[in-house]
Amino acid sequence: MAALRIPTFDDVRAAQARLSGMAHRTPVLTSRTADARTAATLFFKAENLQRAGAFKFRGAYNAIAALETAVRNNGVVAYSSGNHAQAIAYAAMLQGVPSTIIMPRDAPEIKVAATKGYGAEVVFYDRYNEDREEIAGRLARERGASLIPPYDHPDVIAGQGTAALELIEEAGEIDMLVVPLGGGGLLAGCALAAKALSPNCAIFGVEPEAGNDGQQSLRKGEVVHIPVPKSIADGALSTHVGYHNFPILQDKVGGILTVSDAQLVDTMRFFAERMKIIVEPTGCLAAAAVLHGIVPCEGKRVGIILSGGNVDLKVFAALVSSA
């Protein structure tokens, strides 16, 4: 653990400078209906409208841009179920860097197609029987490429934190920030920004009920590994939080909460019907916890990260039209 480089708010500021003019400054949306439902004032940071359809572009671009030129020319390798895959592929393409992405065979077709469309080489694996980290590490060593994991990397964490930085710059100080949690890169980065800009802000992470490794980790005081969970929140099916982000979560996050798949579907439907936006199941984690009262926020100013919108339209239609 002593060898880890734990990012700070200064790293988030540096990432903001690298991302200037490259990442979209996504809108902060409001909804009177959502405010009335929760008796709170909610600010939704719409990262479903980010380049490549998710917040992941921030960390991916920042991590590649931070590499020295000679190293960058050897290419990058990443592993992801979809959003980090697309983000690395797109960010690498923009910077003229070759990319190879390790993706599960059951990854959503829309995410695989987009990753290939950005010029990446895709290598498939079986998420239930093979180790993606081992495969990616081996390929990176063989090719002399830089490995950029989806969340356990200081420059990725710092890049993701720019989402909360922008939210607070636009909305002003907030009482609470609620963030989706998969591997913890987004939550850790956003916690760095929130505590620097809004020191009294309470921070919560939200993960699927089926995969509460983050919740278990905070309660136990160490990183807990679990079997691969099964949930419609395909971007949050990690088996453990990252070692670079766990110290930040311990220091700055007030708690980890969980939501059910049914609550995610209801939240997807809310955004489609009331706010006219498409948010993928994983992107709904934080909002679902707020809208279903799992996070008590009456009378508070609450920032909510909508982390992505990459969902197959047939799947989306089936889910939101279900009873």
Side-chain angles (χ1 to χ4, degrees):
M1 297 296 291
L4 296 179
R5 177 168 69 86
I6 306 302
T8 67
F9 180 60
D10 286 341
D11 294 306
V12 178
R13 281 293 192 194
Q16 185 182 39
R18 292 191 189 103
L19 290 167
S20 179
M22 300 307 302
H24 292 325
R25 190 178 178 96
T26 53
V28 176
L29 306 177
T30 58
S31 164
R32 285 183 293 181
T33 302
D35 288 356
R37 179 169 167 174
T38 58
T41 303
L42 309 183
F43 302 95
F44 298 98
K45 181 61 169 170
E47 286 296 287
N48 56 313
L49 303 179
Q50 186 53 261
R51 299 184 82 162
F55 76 97
K56 291 285 190 178
F57 179 81
R58 296 174 180 272
Y61 191 94
N62 186 55
I64 295 173
L67 294 172
E68 294 182 4
T69 302
V71 175
R72 197 185 314 167
N73 290 340
N74 290 332
V76 294
V77 174
Y79 49 84
S80 167
S81 64
N83 282 342
H84 182 65
Q86 293 173 85
I88 286 288
Y90 190 21
M93 180 187 72
L94 290 174
Q95 298 179 71
V97 176
S99 63
T100 302
I101 315 294
I102 316 303
M103 299 187 74
R105 291 192 180 93
D106 61 350
E109 290 184 10
I110 186 175
K111 296 184 178 182
V112 174
T115 302
K116 290 181 177 179
Y118 294 136
E121 175 190 354
V122 174
V123 175
F124 291 106
Y125 79 103
D126 181 346
R127 76 162 86 222
Y128 299 104
N129 296 299
E130 294 181 289
D131 185 339
R132 65 181 188 173
E133 296 180 32
E134 186 280 325
I135 296 169
R138 174 168 45 81
L139 283 176
R141 288 190 298 273
E142 290 173 356
R143 301 178 181 190
S146 298
L147 178 62
I148 303 179
Y151 51 84
D152 201 2
H153 188 291
D155 294 321
V156 169
I157 294 167
Q160 318 304 31
T162 60
L165 189 159
E166 291 177 5
L167 188 158
I168 296 170
E169 284 182 340
E170 183 164 336
E173 287 201 28
I174 52 178
D175 302 309
M176 184 181 296
L177 178 67
V178 190
V179 183
L181 170 59
L186 177 63
L187 178 56
C190 286
L192 290 173
K195 283 300 185 182
L197 300 178
S198 198
N200 296 320
C201 172
I203 302 170
F204 294 93
V206 185
E207 55 192 350
E209 282 182 351
N212 71 330
D213 55 289
Q215 187 180 66
Q216 292 184 49
S217 296
L218 276 196
R219 288 174 177 172
K220 193 172 181 180
E222 63 184 50
V223 175
V224 172
H225 291 244
I226 64 171
V228 177
K230 293 185 177 181
S231 165
I232 62 171
D234 65 278
L237 302 185
S238 54
T239 59
H240 62 90
V241 297
Y243 289 92
H244 286 86
N245 59 54
F246 187 58
I248 301 171
L249 305 188
Q250 284 185 300
D251 182 52
K252 302 184 185 303
V253 174
I256 307 296
L257 309 165
T258 65
V259 295
S260 68
D261 280 3
Q263 288 168 328
L264 291 176
V265 171
D266 180 73
T267 304
M268 292 170 68
R269 187 180 300 116
F270 173 85
F271 285 127
E273 291 180 344
R274 294 290 185 168
M275 297 180 68
K276 314 306 178 187
I277 57 174
I278 293 177
V279 185
E280 66 183 281
T282 306
C284 287
L285 283 165
V290 172
L291 293 175
H292 290 86
I294 297 169
V295 181
C297 57
E298 183 175 350
K300 297 184 183 301
R301 292 168 52 83
V302 183
I304 299 169
I305 305 292
L306 306 181
S307 58
N310 293 319
V311 57
D312 183 278
L313 287 181
K314 292 180 180 178
V315 172
F316 179 83
L319 288 172
V320 298
S321 62
S322 61

mmCIF file of all heavy atoms in Angstrom, residues 84-128:
data_model
loop_
_atom_site.group_PDB
_atom_site.id
_atom_site.type_symbol
_atom_site.label_atom_id
_atom_site.label_comp_id
_atom_site.label_asym_id
_atom_site.label_seq_id
_atom_site.Cartn_x
_atom_site.Cartn_y
_atom_site.Cartn_z
ATOM 1 N N HIS A 84 -15.608 1.953 -19.987
ATOM 2 C CA HIS A 84 -14.164 2.254 -19.977
ATOM 3 C C HIS A 84 -13.544 1.816 -21.295
ATOM 4 O O HIS A 84 -12.631 2.471 -21.805
ATOM 5 C CB HIS A 84 -13.500 1.545 -18.797
ATOM 6 C CG HIS A 84 -12.031 1.818 -18.655
ATOM 7 N ND1 HIS A 84 -11.522 3.071 -18.362
ATOM 8 C CD2 HIS A 84 -10.942 0.996 -18.754
ATOM 9 C CE1 HIS A 84 -10.194 3.012 -18.285
ATOM 10 N NE2 HIS A 84 -9.819 1.768 -18.528
ATOM 11 N N ALA A 85 -14.044 0.717 -21.848
ATOM 12 C CA ALA A 85 -13.551 0.230 -23.142
ATOM 13 C C ALA A 85 -13.742 1.292 -24.214
ATOM 14 O O ALA A 85 -12.803 1.650 -24.944
ATOM 15 C CB ALA A 85 -14.288 -1.050 -23.536
ATOM 16 N N GLN A 86 -14.954 1.808 -24.317
ATOM 17 C CA GLN A 86 -15.230 2.833 -25.313
ATOM 18 C C GLN A 86 -14.421 4.095 -25.050
ATOM 19 O O GLN A 86 -13.905 4.732 -25.981
ATOM 20 C CB GLN A 86 -16.727 3.188 -25.285
ATOM 21 C CG GLN A 86 -17.624 2.058 -25.742
ATOM 22 C CD GLN A 86 -19.083 2.411 -25.516
ATOM 23 O OE1 GLN A 86 -19.704 3.057 -26.338
ATOM 24 N NE2 GLN A 86 -19.629 1.979 -24.391
ATOM 25 N N ALA A 87 -14.311 4.467 -23.778
ATOM 26 C CA ALA A 87 -13.605 5.688 -23.428
ATOM 27 C C ALA A 87 -12.122 5.607 -23.779
ATOM 28 O O ALA A 87 -11.560 6.544 -24.352
ATOM 29 C CB ALA A 87 -13.776 5.973 -21.934
ATOM 30 N N ILE A 88 -11.479 4.495 -23.443
ATOM 31 C CA ILE A 88 -10.063 4.328 -23.764
ATOM 32 C C ILE A 88 -9.872 4.309 -25.279
ATOM 33 O O ILE A 88 -8.971 4.960 -25.825
ATOM 34 C CB ILE A 88 -9.495 3.039 -23.139
ATOM 35 C CG1 ILE A 88 -9.321 3.208 -21.632
ATOM 36 C CG2 ILE A 88 -8.168 2.644 -23.797
ATOM 37 C CD1 ILE A 88 -8.180 4.111 -21.219
ATOM 38 N N ALA A 89 -10.743 3.563 -25.972
ATOM 39 C CA ALA A 89 -10.633 3.478 -27.430
ATOM 40 C C ALA A 89 -10.769 4.863 -28.072
ATOM 41 O O ALA A 89 -9.993 5.236 -28.963
ATOM 42 C CB ALA A 89 -11.689 2.532 -27.975
ATOM 43 N N TYR A 90 -11.738 5.632 -27.627
ATOM 44 C CA TYR A 90 -11.991 6.956 -28.194
ATOM 45 C C TYR A 90 -10.874 7.935 -27.827
ATOM 46 O O TYR A 90 -10.337 8.660 -28.683
ATOM 47 C CB TYR A 90 -13.338 7.464 -27.692
ATOM 48 C CG TYR A 90 -13.847 8.712 -28.381
ATOM 49 C CD1 TYR A 90 -13.396 9.084 -29.638
ATOM 50 C CD2 TYR A 90 -14.807 9.513 -27.770
ATOM 51 C CE1 TYR A 90 -13.875 10.229 -30.276
ATOM 52 C CE2 TYR A 90 -15.298 10.654 -28.393
ATOM 53 C CZ TYR A 90 -14.825 11.014 -29.640
ATOM 54 O OH TYR A 90 -15.305 12.142 -30.250
ATOM 55 N N ALA A 91 -10.496 7.932 -26.544
ATOM 56 C CA ALA A 91 -9.436 8.837 -26.101
ATOM 57 C C ALA A 91 -8.115 8.504 -26.787
ATOM 58 O O ALA A 91 -7.343 9.400 -27.143
ATOM 59 C CB ALA A 91 -9.283 8.762 -24.582
ATOM 60 N N ALA A 92 -7.852 7.211 -26.971
ATOM 61 C CA ALA A 92 -6.623 6.796 -27.662
ATOM 62 C C ALA A 92 -6.650 7.233 -29.121
ATOM 63 O O ALA A 92 -5.650 7.732 -29.656
ATOM 64 C CB ALA A 92 -6.455 5.284 -27.561
ATOM 65 N N MET A 93 -7.795 7.074 -29.765
ATOM 66 C CA MET A 93 -7.932 7.492 -31.160
ATOM 67 C C MET A 93 -7.668 8.993 -31.301
ATOM 68 O O MET A 93 -6.944 9.434 -32.208
ATOM 69 C CB MET A 93 -9.332 7.160 -31.672
ATOM 70 C CG MET A 93 -9.567 7.550 -33.127
ATOM 71 S SD MET A 93 -11.296 7.327 -33.651
ATOM 72 C CE MET A 93 -12.092 8.675 -32.771
ATOM 73 N N LEU A 94 -8.221 9.785 -30.399
ATOM 74 C CA LEU A 94 -8.051 11.233 -30.458
ATOM 75 C C LEU A 94 -6.588 11.643 -30.290
ATOM 76 O O LEU A 94 -6.154 12.676 -30.820
ATOM 77 C CB LEU A 94 -8.899 11.910 -29.376
ATOM 78 C CG LEU A 94 -10.416 11.873 -29.568
ATOM 79 C CD1 LEU A 94 -11.107 12.447 -28.341
ATOM 80 C CD2 LEU A 94 -10.831 12.642 -30.820
ATOM 81 N N GLN A 95 -5.834 10.809 -29.566
ATOM 82 C CA GLN A 95 -4.436 11.148 -29.295
ATOM 83 C C GLN A 95 -3.457 10.339 -30.151
ATOM 84 O O GLN A 95 -2.247 10.395 -29.942
ATOM 85 C CB GLN A 95 -4.138 10.942 -27.800
ATOM 86 C CG GLN A 95 -4.988 11.857 -26.917
ATOM 87 C CD GLN A 95 -4.739 11.663 -25.438
ATOM 88 O OE1 GLN A 95 -3.670 12.032 -24.930
ATOM 89 N NE2 GLN A 95 -5.702 11.092 -24.729
ATOM 90 N N GLY A 96 -3.999 9.576 -31.123
ATOM 91 C CA GLY A 96 -3.150 8.810 -32.033
ATOM 92 C C GLY A 96 -2.409 7.671 -31.371
ATOM 93 O O GLY A 96 -1.287 7.342 -31.765
ATOM 94 N N VAL A 97 -3.037 7.047 -30.402
ATOM 95 C CA VAL A 97 -2.407 5.976 -29.623
ATOM 96 C C VAL A 97 -3.106 4.651 -29.920
ATOM 97 O O VAL A 97 -4.338 4.573 -29.846
ATOM 98 C CB VAL A 97 -2.490 6.295 -28.113
ATOM 99 C CG1 VAL A 97 -1.921 5.145 -27.287
ATOM 100 C CG2 VAL A 97 -1.757 7.593 -27.799
ATOM 101 N N PRO A 98 -2.372 3.581 -30.237
ATOM 102 C CA PRO A 98 -3.006 2.273 -30.445
ATOM 103 C C PRO A 98 -3.617 1.758 -29.138
ATOM 104 O O PRO A 98 -3.049 1.961 -28.061
ATOM 105 C CB PRO A 98 -1.842 1.375 -30.881
ATOM 106 C CG PRO A 98 -0.726 2.297 -31.253
ATOM 107 C CD PRO A 98 -0.912 3.538 -30.440
ATOM 108 N N SER A 99 -4.766 1.086 -29.229
ATOM 109 C CA SER A 99 -5.403 0.563 -28.023
ATOM 110 C C SER A 99 -5.899 -0.861 -28.218
ATOM 111 O O SER A 99 -6.365 -1.231 -29.300
ATOM 112 C CB SER A 99 -6.578 1.460 -27.604
ATOM 113 O OG SER A 99 -7.596 1.471 -28.600
ATOM 114 N N THR A 100 -5.794 -1.639 -27.162
ATOM 115 C CA THR A 100 -6.316 -3.008 -27.118
ATOM 116 C C THR A 100 -7.201 -3.125 -25.885
ATOM 117 O O THR A 100 -6.781 -2.765 -24.780
ATOM 118 C CB THR A 100 -5.173 -4.043 -27.032
ATOM 119 O OG1 THR A 100 -4.300 -3.882 -28.148
ATOM 120 C CG2 THR A 100 -5.727 -5.459 -27.015
ATOM 121 N N ILE A 101 -8.417 -3.620 -26.064
ATOM 122 C CA ILE A 101 -9.378 -3.689 -24.962
ATOM 123 C C ILE A 101 -9.806 -5.137 -24.713
ATOM 124 O O ILE A 101 -10.215 -5.836 -25.648
ATOM 125 C CB ILE A 101 -10.635 -2.842 -25.235
ATOM 126 C CG1 ILE A 101 -10.256 -1.456 -25.789
ATOM 127 C CG2 ILE A 101 -11.475 -2.734 -23.982
ATOM 128 C CD1 ILE A 101 -9.506 -0.566 -24.846
ATOM 129 N N ILE A 102 -9.723 -5.574 -23.461
ATOM 130 C CA ILE A 102 -10.188 -6.898 -23.054
ATOM 131 C C ILE A 102 -11.642 -6.751 -22.596
ATOM 132 O O ILE A 102 -11.920 -6.033 -21.636
ATOM 133 C CB ILE A 102 -9.334 -7.461 -21.894
ATOM 134 C CG1 ILE A 102 -7.841 -7.222 -22.137
ATOM 135 C CG2 ILE A 102 -9.645 -8.935 -21.689
ATOM 136 C CD1 ILE A 102 -7.309 -7.781 -23.420
ATOM 137 N N MET A 103 -12.571 -7.425 -23.292
ATOM 138 C CA MET A 103 -13.994 -7.293 -22.983
ATOM 139 C C MET A 103 -14.629 -8.665 -22.763
ATOM 140 O O MET A 103 -14.241 -9.645 -23.406
ATOM 141 C CB MET A 103 -14.731 -6.576 -24.127
ATOM 142 C CG MET A 103 -14.254 -5.161 -24.404
ATOM 143 S SD MET A 103 -15.292 -4.295 -25.642
ATOM 144 C CE MET A 103 -16.762 -3.941 -24.659
ATOM 145 N N PRO A 104 -15.607 -8.752 -21.853
ATOM 146 C CA PRO A 104 -16.300 -10.028 -21.658
ATOM 147 C C PRO A 104 -17.138 -10.384 -22.881
ATOM 148 O O PRO A 104 -17.654 -9.494 -23.563
ATOM 149 C CB PRO A 104 -17.183 -9.770 -20.432
ATOM 150 C CG PRO A 104 -17.383 -8.290 -20.418
ATOM 151 C CD PRO A 104 -16.120 -7.692 -20.962
ATOM 152 N N ARG A 105 -17.269 -11.672 -23.135
ATOM 153 C CA ARG A 105 -18.039 -12.114 -24.306
ATOM 154 C C ARG A 105 -19.500 -11.688 -24.223
ATOM 155 O O ARG A 105 -20.165 -11.558 -25.247
ATOM 156 C CB ARG A 105 -17.955 -13.645 -24.451
ATOM 157 C CG ARG A 105 -16.584 -14.142 -24.855
ATOM 158 C CD ARG A 105 -16.606 -15.608 -25.275
ATOM 159 N NE ARG A 105 -15.272 -16.058 -25.648
ATOM 160 C CZ ARG A 105 -14.412 -16.645 -24.832
ATOM 161 N NH1 ARG A 105 -14.778 -16.860 -23.573
ATOM 162 N NH2 ARG A 105 -13.219 -17.015 -25.235
ATOM 163 N N ASP A 106 -20.014 -11.478 -22.995
ATOM 164 C CA ASP A 106 -21.418 -11.094 -22.844
ATOM 165 C C ASP A 106 -21.595 -9.580 -22.697
ATOM 166 O O ASP A 106 -22.649 -9.114 -22.274
ATOM 167 C CB ASP A 106 -22.045 -11.817 -21.644
ATOM 168 C CG ASP A 106 -21.357 -11.480 -20.324
ATOM 169 O OD1 ASP A 106 -20.294 -10.841 -20.332
ATOM 170 O OD2 ASP A 106 -21.901 -11.862 -19.261
ATOM 171 N N ALA A 107 -20.576 -8.809 -23.045
ATOM 172 C CA ALA A 107 -20.706 -7.351 -22.994
ATOM 173 C C ALA A 107 -21.801 -6.902 -23.964
ATOM 174 O O ALA A 107 -22.021 -7.533 -25.009
ATOM 175 C CB ALA A 107 -19.384 -6.685 -23.361
ATOM 176 N N PRO A 108 -22.534 -5.835 -23.629
ATOM 177 C CA PRO A 108 -23.587 -5.345 -24.530
ATOM 178 C C PRO A 108 -23.035 -5.097 -25.937
ATOM 179 O O PRO A 108 -21.968 -4.491 -26.101
ATOM 180 C CB PRO A 108 -24.030 -4.040 -23.863
ATOM 181 C CG PRO A 108 -23.719 -4.238 -22.417
ATOM 182 C CD PRO A 108 -22.451 -5.048 -22.389
ATOM 183 N N GLU A 109 -23.763 -5.563 -26.944
ATOM 184 C CA GLU A 109 -23.305 -5.435 -28.325
ATOM 185 C C GLU A 109 -23.037 -3.984 -28.715
ATOM 186 O O GLU A 109 -22.097 -3.689 -29.461
ATOM 187 C CB GLU A 109 -24.349 -6.051 -29.279
ATOM 188 C CG GLU A 109 -24.437 -7.565 -29.182
ATOM 189 C CD GLU A 109 -25.410 -8.140 -30.204
ATOM 190 O OE1 GLU A 109 -25.850 -7.375 -31.089
ATOM 191 O OE2 GLU A 109 -25.725 -9.334 -30.108
ATOM 192 N N ILE A 110 -23.854 -3.066 -28.212
ATOM 193 C CA ILE A 110 -23.684 -1.654 -28.558
ATOM 194 C C ILE A 110 -22.331 -1.135 -28.074
ATOM 195 O O ILE A 110 -21.687 -0.310 -28.728
ATOM 196 C CB ILE A 110 -24.848 -0.808 -27.971
ATOM 197 C CG1 ILE A 110 -24.748 0.641 -28.462
ATOM 198 C CG2 ILE A 110 -24.885 -0.863 -26.461
ATOM 199 C CD1 ILE A 110 -25.924 1.510 -28.028
ATOM 200 N N LYS A 111 -21.872 -1.657 -26.915
ATOM 201 C CA LYS A 111 -20.599 -1.198 -26.363
ATOM 202 C C LYS A 111 -19.421 -1.828 -27.109
ATOM 203 O O LYS A 111 -18.396 -1.173 -27.330
ATOM 204 C CB LYS A 111 -20.538 -1.510 -24.865
ATOM 205 C CG LYS A 111 -21.596 -0.743 -24.058
ATOM 206 C CD LYS A 111 -21.479 -0.961 -22.570
ATOM 207 C CE LYS A 111 -22.526 -0.134 -21.840
ATOM 208 N NZ LYS A 111 -22.448 -0.250 -20.377
ATOM 209 N N VAL A 112 -19.567 -3.081 -27.510
ATOM 210 C CA VAL A 112 -18.522 -3.732 -28.294
ATOM 211 C C VAL A 112 -18.373 -3.040 -29.644
ATOM 212 O O VAL A 112 -17.261 -2.729 -30.098
ATOM 213 C CB VAL A 112 -18.838 -5.226 -28.496
ATOM 214 C CG1 VAL A 112 -17.819 -5.865 -29.438
ATOM 215 C CG2 VAL A 112 -18.847 -5.961 -27.167
ATOM 216 N N ALA A 113 -19.514 -2.762 -30.284
ATOM 217 C CA ALA A 113 -19.487 -2.119 -31.599
ATOM 218 C C ALA A 113 -18.853 -0.735 -31.529
ATOM 219 O O ALA A 113 -18.061 -0.350 -32.398
ATOM 220 C CB ALA A 113 -20.905 -2.023 -32.160
ATOM 221 N N ALA A 114 -19.198 0.013 -30.495
ATOM 222 C CA ALA A 114 -18.629 1.352 -30.352
ATOM 223 C C ALA A 114 -17.128 1.294 -30.109
ATOM 224 O O ALA A 114 -16.364 2.085 -30.671
ATOM 225 C CB ALA A 114 -19.310 2.096 -29.204
ATOM 226 N N THR A 115 -16.691 0.338 -29.288
ATOM 227 C CA THR A 115 -15.262 0.200 -28.991
ATOM 228 C C THR A 115 -14.477 -0.103 -30.264
ATOM 229 O O THR A 115 -13.425 0.494 -30.531
ATOM 230 C CB THR A 115 -15.046 -0.906 -27.945
ATOM 231 O OG1 THR A 115 -15.785 -0.584 -26.758
ATOM 232 C CG2 THR A 115 -13.571 -1.051 -27.587
ATOM 233 N N LYS A 116 -14.981 -1.032 -31.055
ATOM 234 C CA LYS A 116 -14.329 -1.349 -32.323
ATOM 235 C C LYS A 116 -14.389 -0.159 -33.275
ATOM 236 O O LYS A 116 -13.444 0.113 -34.025
ATOM 237 C CB LYS A 116 -14.991 -2.573 -32.959
ATOM 238 C CG LYS A 116 -14.731 -3.879 -32.226
ATOM 239 C CD LYS A 116 -15.397 -5.051 -32.937
ATOM 240 C CE LYS A 116 -15.085 -6.376 -32.265
ATOM 241 N NZ LYS A 116 -15.766 -7.515 -32.952
ATOM 242 N N GLY A 117 -15.516 0.547 -33.235
ATOM 243 C CA GLY A 117 -15.679 1.696 -34.122
ATOM 244 C C GLY A 117 -14.675 2.802 -33.857
ATOM 245 O O GLY A 117 -14.342 3.584 -34.757
ATOM 246 N N TYR A 118 -14.191 2.883 -32.630
ATOM 247 C CA TYR A 118 -13.174 3.877 -32.289
ATOM 248 C C TYR A 118 -11.764 3.388 -32.627
ATOM 249 O O TYR A 118 -10.786 4.068 -32.321
ATOM 250 C CB TYR A 118 -13.244 4.230 -30.806
ATOM 251 C CG TYR A 118 -14.517 4.944 -30.399
ATOM 252 C CD1 TYR A 118 -15.208 4.592 -29.244
ATOM 253 C CD2 TYR A 118 -15.034 5.987 -31.170
ATOM 254 C CE1 TYR A 118 -16.361 5.248 -28.859
ATOM 255 C CE2 TYR A 118 -16.198 6.646 -30.800
ATOM 256 C CZ TYR A 118 -16.857 6.270 -29.638
ATOM 257 O OH TYR A 118 -18.010 6.922 -29.269
ATOM 258 N N GLY A 119 -11.668 2.219 -33.252
ATOM 259 C CA GLY A 119 -10.383 1.754 -33.747
ATOM 260 C C GLY A 119 -9.619 0.819 -32.832
ATOM 261 O O GLY A 119 -8.472 0.458 -33.128
ATOM 262 N N ALA A 120 -10.219 0.392 -31.725
ATOM 263 C CA ALA A 120 -9.516 -0.485 -30.796
ATOM 264 C C ALA A 120 -9.558 -1.934 -31.263
ATOM 265 O O ALA A 120 -10.519 -2.376 -31.908
ATOM 266 C CB ALA A 120 -10.134 -0.389 -29.402
ATOM 267 N N GLU A 121 -8.538 -2.686 -30.906
ATOM 268 C CA GLU A 121 -8.565 -4.137 -31.053
ATOM 269 C C GLU A 121 -9.273 -4.700 -29.820
ATOM 270 O O GLU A 121 -8.926 -4.353 -28.689
ATOM 271 C CB GLU A 121 -7.140 -4.697 -31.123
ATOM 272 C CG GLU A 121 -7.081 -6.209 -31.147
ATOM 273 C CD GLU A 121 -5.678 -6.767 -30.982
ATOM 274 O OE1 GLU A 121 -4.718 -5.967 -30.970
ATOM 275 O OE2 GLU A 121 -5.547 -7.994 -30.837
ATOM 276 N N VAL A 122 -10.268 -5.545 -30.022
ATOM 277 C CA VAL A 122 -11.015 -6.123 -28.908
ATOM 278 C C VAL A 122 -10.633 -7.587 -28.740
ATOM 279 O O VAL A 122 -10.668 -8.359 -29.703
ATOM 280 C CB VAL A 122 -12.540 -5.995 -29.131
ATOM 281 C CG1 VAL A 122 -13.306 -6.742 -28.036
ATOM 282 C CG2 VAL A 122 -12.951 -4.523 -29.146
ATOM 283 N N VAL A 123 -10.264 -7.958 -27.520
ATOM 284 C CA VAL A 123 -9.949 -9.342 -27.168
ATOM 285 C C VAL A 123 -10.996 -9.790 -26.155
ATOM 286 O O VAL A 123 -11.157 -9.165 -25.100
ATOM 287 C CB VAL A 123 -8.542 -9.460 -26.566
ATOM 288 C CG1 VAL A 123 -8.272 -10.899 -26.099
ATOM 289 C CG2 VAL A 123 -7.485 -9.012 -27.575
ATOM 290 N N PHE A 124 -11.725 -10.864 -26.460
ATOM 291 C CA PHE A 124 -12.812 -11.323 -25.591
ATOM 292 C C PHE A 124 -12.320 -12.329 -24.547
ATOM 293 O O PHE A 124 -11.348 -13.052 -24.762
ATOM 294 C CB PHE A 124 -13.928 -11.966 -26.415
ATOM 295 C CG PHE A 124 -14.693 -10.986 -27.259
ATOM 296 C CD1 PHE A 124 -14.513 -10.940 -28.636
ATOM 297 C CD2 PHE A 124 -15.586 -10.101 -26.683
ATOM 298 C CE1 PHE A 124 -15.210 -10.037 -29.421
ATOM 299 C CE2 PHE A 124 -16.291 -9.182 -27.454
ATOM 300 C CZ PHE A 124 -16.102 -9.157 -28.828
ATOM 301 N N TYR A 125 -13.043 -12.359 -23.416
ATOM 302 C CA TYR A 125 -12.767 -13.351 -22.373
ATOM 303 C C TYR A 125 -14.083 -13.748 -21.704
ATOM 304 O O TYR A 125 -15.109 -13.066 -21.860
ATOM 305 C CB TYR A 125 -11.781 -12.805 -21.340
ATOM 306 C CG TYR A 125 -12.416 -11.862 -20.322
ATOM 307 C CD1 TYR A 125 -12.711 -12.291 -19.028
ATOM 308 C CD2 TYR A 125 -12.731 -10.546 -20.657
ATOM 309 C CE1 TYR A 125 -13.301 -11.439 -18.105
ATOM 310 C CE2 TYR A 125 -13.325 -9.691 -19.756
ATOM 311 C CZ TYR A 125 -13.595 -10.135 -18.469
ATOM 312 O OH TYR A 125 -14.184 -9.299 -17.557
ATOM 313 N N ASP A 126 -14.062 -14.833 -20.943
ATOM 314 C CA ASP A 126 -15.220 -15.311 -20.184
ATOM 315 C C ASP A 126 -15.138 -14.741 -18.777
ATOM 316 O O ASP A 126 -14.258 -15.119 -18.002
ATOM 317 C CB ASP A 126 -15.216 -16.840 -20.151
ATOM 318 C CG ASP A 126 -16.408 -17.422 -19.396
ATOM 319 O OD1 ASP A 126 -17.096 -16.675 -18.663
ATOM 320 O OD2 ASP A 126 -16.643 -18.637 -19.525
ATOM 321 N N ARG A 127 -16.044 -13.805 -18.447
ATOM 322 C CA ARG A 127 -15.941 -13.114 -17.163
ATOM 323 C C ARG A 127 -16.125 -14.038 -15.959
ATOM 324 O O ARG A 127 -15.720 -13.707 -14.842
ATOM 325 C CB ARG A 127 -16.916 -11.939 -17.105
ATOM 326 C CG ARG A 127 -18.345 -12.305 -16.892
ATOM 327 C CD ARG A 127 -19.154 -11.087 -16.406
ATOM 328 N NE ARG A 127 -19.669 -10.245 -17.463
ATOM 329 C CZ ARG A 127 -19.648 -8.904 -17.408
ATOM 330 N NH1 ARG A 127 -19.118 -8.295 -16.393
ATOM 331 N NH2 ARG A 127 -20.158 -8.192 -18.403
ATOM 332 N N TYR A 128 -16.749 -15.194 -16.162
ATOM 333 C CA TYR A 128 -17.003 -16.099 -15.043
ATOM 334 C C TYR A 128 -15.916 -17.160 -14.868
ATOM 335 O O TYR A 128 -15.858 -17.828 -13.838
ATOM 336 C CB TYR A 128 -18.370 -16.772 -15.209
ATOM 337 C CG TYR A 128 -19.495 -15.766 -15.242
ATOM 338 C CD1 TYR A 128 -20.126 -15.426 -16.442
ATOM 339 C CD2 TYR A 128 -19.904 -15.106 -14.088
ATOM 340 C CE1 TYR A 128 -21.141 -14.478 -16.487
ATOM 341 C CE2 TYR A 128 -20.908 -14.157 -14.111
ATOM 342 C CZ TYR A 128 -21.525 -13.846 -15.313
ATOM 343 O OH TYR A 128 -22.520 -12.903 -15.348
#
